[in-house]
Amino acid sequence: MSEIVQTETKQGRGPETIPPTTIHLSQPVTINILGASGDLTQRKLLPALFAMYVQKLLPDEFAILGFARRDYTDETFRQFAGEAIRQFARLPVESEALATFCEHVFYHRGDIEEYASFRSLYTKLFDRRLFPANHLHYLSIRPELFATVLSHMKASGLINPIDAPNWSRVVIEKPFGRDWETAHALNQSVLQHLHESQVYRIDHFLGKETVQNILSFRFANAIFEPLFSSHLVDHIQITAAETVGMESGRGAYYDASGALRDMLQNHLLQLMCLVTMEPPASMTADAIRNEKVKVLQSVHPLSDVDLKKAVVRGQYVASTDANGKERPSYRSEDRVATDSKTETFLAVRLSIDNWRWAGVPIYLRTGKRLARRVTEIAVQFKKPPLQLFQTVECDGDVCDLTGTSPNQLVFRIQPDEGISLRFAAKRPVMQVQVENVAMDFSYSETWQNQLPEAYERLLLDVLRGDTTLFTRSDEVEAEWRVVDPILKAWASNGDFPLAEYPAGSWGPTEADALMHGTDEEWLNR
Ligand code: BG6
């Protein structure tokens, strides 16, 4: 983490507006987006770069160069960029700012599978009046082309050595591999061309404010950290539920990936690491990533587990919503095989074999077309050792004291971003009655500022050369090691169950079975 600022928020005066961040990046840069005509560029990268420009988070001298096969010129690519920004920007778009931003945008037409296109790119980038010599290359391309493209880039001189006066950094989008073996092979070819410190493997969840705040909550406060252990924690639930299905032609990608590769292997495991890792020795990239790797390496190997009892996969089927509108089944979605066996829902029970967490179940769950969009981490504490407030005699009456549950700490990643702690409190009545109440921290009630998009933060960090919020090579392999046994079990056991769930529900009821024999249940809210 590059800088740590401590401030105090004035309580009780309504949400505060935080003044704009002033970060002056002095190093000019060319941002080269490979796969520039794609969905990610349109929805995320261009709007994020524009937001950074408006907030003065880009250096004074910068160029954005789109590289793709489509037949754009600089002029028509600028129009494409302008439309994308107008459609997807999170901040109001002023025409003048957009016009000056677009003056920094250029296009290189070429085929990323062909070496010649990289040679011509190299020549083009020589025009230093337009293209500053520090290069951020963003690979927003089909993952199977990562290795080829990197080797073309290296061979054509587009990647500077680590000790060169001008830097080259490469951002690699997910999915990074399809299993441990392919991720390992990809790491080998990436590291053949680049030094680890030049590689930025994106997991955009790490760029979310609420996700970064997990470490602040745990390690900037003395009182909470001691609670995070098997002494007090009963179990942890991590949910990333989405209401979306296969919009914008995503079916083709998703049908070949599924919930495990798309969400669990990366985003959910990262959330698990942040909430369970040991305090790092410092807030440096390697110190933090070392601790995350240790957690992943301590996950009890699923190869030793009866996977039918620890993993539930599901796929949505058609249903009708409250207004009588039909919700389509997964198999009838655009670009999805009509007999697809891809999981659109996944629930997994893990455990971490280390001193802090031994014996604490960690439940991870994700799915498409679920009842509500919510991403959260709920840390469920144990019951008090003695249930003093279960039922109490008061003047001959038995007071009704049901309704209290163990303490629960919830990191609300999105939406309604915040953190809440549930505890029991006495009701203000003459009897002894206890009920659940919450201490609640809400971003929107504390700060008026809109939360930045994850991609803004991540792109800024690449420009600053800060790899903290990116996945290191050993980390991504450790993630795959956790989930590989599931992939192998599915591949070798054709009748591993694929439960159905109605689109718009909380997933298959079979997922409840993961918690059988305990007092626990999924938090569906
Ligand atoms: C992406 C997945 O990485 O994350 C998508 O590929 C998913 O399938 C998305 O919808 C969720 O991200 P967010 O930021 O919208 O929660």
Side-chain angles (χ1 to χ4, degrees), residues 57 61 84 99 198 280 356 430 444 513:
L57 297 175
E61 282 177 62
Q198 296 174 298
R356 188 190 277 262
M430 290 302 158
S444 62

Side-chain angles (χ1 to χ4, degrees), residues 267-287:
H267 307 325
L268 267 63
L269 287 182
Q270 284 292 334
L271 296 182
M272 180 189 83
C273 286
L274 293 172
V275 85
T276 58
M277 65 186 247
E278 293 299 319
S282 66
M283 290 304 281
T284 57
D286 273 335

Side-chain angles (χ1 to χ4, degrees), residues 159 162 190-199:
I159 295 176
I162 186 80
V190 167
L191 296 174
Q192 214 182 317
H193 306 304
L194 295 157
H195 185 269
E196 177 66 41
S197 64
Q198 296 174 298
V199 187

Side-chain angles (χ1 to χ4, degrees), residues 174 204-205 208 242 250 253 262-263 267 368 414:
K174 70 175 254 272
H204 82 279
F205 263 47
K208 292 181 190 280
E242 297 184 88
R250 280 206 98 216
Y253 151 77
D262 186 50
M263 293 289 290
H267 307 325
K368 298 279 185 201
Q414 63 191 23

